[in-house]
Amino acid sequence: MITLIGGIAILVLGYFTYGIFIEKNFSIEPDRPTPAETLRDGYDFVPMPKWKNAIIQLLNIAGTGPIFGPIMGALYGPVAYIWIILGAIFAGAVHDYMIGMISLRNGGAHLPELASKYLGKPVKHVVNIFTMLLLLLVGTVFVTSPASLISNFTPSWMTIGMITGIIFVYYIISTVLPIDKALGKVYPIFGAILIISTIAIGTSLLAGGHAIPNLTASSLSNWHPDGTPIFPILFFTISCGAISGFHATQSPMVSRTSTNEREGRFTFYGMMIAEGVIAMIWAAAAMSLFDGQTLSEMIASGTPSVVVNQVSVLLLGNILGTIAIFGVIVLPLSSGLSAFRSLRTILADYLHIKQDTLKKILLLTIPLYVISFGLTQIDFNLLWRYFTWANQVTAVISLLVSTRYLYLKGKNYFVTLIPATFMLYAVFVYIVSQPIGFGLGIGNLTYVLSLLGTLLLLGLFWKSGKKQKDDLLPDSYLLNDHLNYAQAVTNVTN
């Protein structure tokens, strides 16, 4: 119990300390016009109040990641708390804040355009591929997981396939609506359900006399029943609760609706901290209510949705537990919708198809949903493994974009370079060791090859950054933040 309460307190403290430091390092300009005002189009660029932007950001980035991830991460024991706390404060929240604010400074540009501007034009194509692959996987995973949860409350004749189809219809309708109608009207309701259900789960866990594992010297060992190594698997299992590249695809969406740079710390950094709190509560619940073997068997029997059902009912009873489950369901529904919306706009930017008519919107939207529907037929656990790797690769790219931005601006760039280096090494170890990659397993050869790959890429990154800075003129495009998105896209594609 002490670790859970203390961990949540540290997360909140991180917002008021390190969050302020990151904000000062970025150097906000409260009087600077934002894309929501200068590029207002009534569809994607729409000014919205701070509280609504924050709720949209939280629901966009949350999905089932900060719930499913920590549930699976609970297999490793209390060591999962460390990654959630440190990851959220020093990596995830910094990652979300930097991409959100850099996007805001560049007319609401998405990650591929930002990567092209700060890492070089050839990188844009690689980033586009990874970003679109990630969003497609995210959208698919966040259709599969709520469908699995909803199926527990529907008649036997309503199959998961039918529920999946209904969710896709909802997504299509919402995707073609203006953002203030599709998200601004519904998300506050979803947000209220999420917040109430999370508080209910946490309160019941603390007040119910459950033996919540604490982080001690003896409990720091690996609890995984199969002996799966903590590094690097834990850092991919718990992503949305610590650091997630998916967030880099969502923050630019909210940068298009923000009206003041002063809102950034609360909207981007703060909502990642809130996600860390959600992750702490669900990790603690899974560890407290089930032993490792039972938890492993429950996850293997389908998806972590089985654990969500059991935790909710055991802690809150049938009625309140059902309400809590609906609080979990709104997360993937909102994030899945946001994933497809971001995927459509990124693809439109890449193909230079202006989204100014319903026909053009549907031209890109329908094929994406058809592909995703086909992916729903693949085993969830397989999808999750590919999603987690693509997710953390995107996080590395986002952190390198942020590092280059700070470096060119003469700011402290170590705040993003350090987590970027750690995650880059983890990405290499994962792809070299796992069956979805080279399958060499965990061992000295994997660690050495991964270290060499990390050093090589960082060396190239540093060399290109130094050359980029040496070639800059005082009025360089790279040094000056652009407010006009159309101008930014033109500059990076020429």
Side-chain angles (χ1 to χ4, degrees), residues 131-140 340 343 368 371-372 375:
T131 304
M132 289 189 284
L133 172 63
L134 172 63
L135 286 170
L136 190 59
L137 290 173
V138 166
T140 303
F340 282 116
L343 178 56
L368 293 175
I371 295 172
S372 180
L375 289 175

Side-chain angles (χ1 to χ4, degrees), residues 313-335:
V313 172
L314 286 173
L315 289 178
L316 302 176
N318 290 328
I319 296 177
L320 293 179
T322 300
I323 295 174
I325 293 170
F326 278 107
V328 175
I329 289 172
V330 302
L331 287 172
L333 285 177
S334 56
S335 290

Side-chain angles (χ1 to χ4, degrees), residues 64-86:
T64 46
I67 296 176
F68 280 20
I71 285 174
M72 292 188 285
L75 290 169
Y76 296 89
V79 68
Y81 293 140
I82 299 178
W83 174 230
I84 293 172
I85 296 168
L86 297 182

Side-chain angles (χ1 to χ4, degrees), residues 340-412:
F340 282 116
R341 193 179 185 99
S342 296
L343 178 56
R344 175 185 57 77
T345 55
I346 289 174
L347 184 60
D349 290 344
Y350 190 57
L351 299 178
H352 304 290
I353 300 176
K354 191 174 182 180
Q355 301 290 276
D356 55 354
T357 66
L358 180 60
K359 180 180 178 181
K360 291 179 180 178
I361 292 173
L362 292 176
L363 178 66
L364 296 182
T365 299
I366 300 300
L368 293 175
Y369 285 127
V370 170
I371 295 172
S372 180
F373 185 79
L375 289 175
T376 61
Q377 308 308 305
I378 299 176
D379 177 62
F380 173 85
N381 292 313
L382 180 62
L383 276 177
W384 186 269
R385 286 195 290 271
Y386 280 101
F387 154 65
T388 53
W389 185 74
N391 188 40
Q392 299 305 54
V393 169
T394 306
V396 170
I397 294 170
S398 303
L399 287 169
L400 291 178
V401 167
S402 302
T403 300
R404 181 64 58 80
Y405 176 90
L406 293 173
Y407 173 68
L408 294 175
K409 292 287 184 179
K411 305 290 184 180
N412 179 352

Side-chain angles (χ1 to χ4, degrees), residues 208-265:
H210 300 284
I212 305 174
N214 286 312
L215 184 63
T216 63
S218 60
S219 67
L220 198 57
S221 59
N222 185 358
W223 288 17
H224 201 291
D226 299 329
T228 304
I230 292 174
F231 185 84
I233 309 301
L234 176 64
F235 302 91
F236 289 81
T237 302
I238 301 179
S239 55
C240 287
I243 180 172
S244 168
F246 169 62
H247 298 187
T249 68
Q250 301 305 296
S251 293
M253 187 185 303
V254 176
S255 76
R256 298 180 176 194
T257 60
S258 299
T259 58
N260 195 298
E261 289 192 3
R262 193 181 287 112
E263 300 173 6
R265 183 166 63 92

Side-chain angles (χ1 to χ4, degrees), residues 69 129 206 268 324 377 394 396 452:
I129 292 171
L206 291 171
F268 300 121
Q377 308 308 305
T394 306
V396 170
L452 292 175

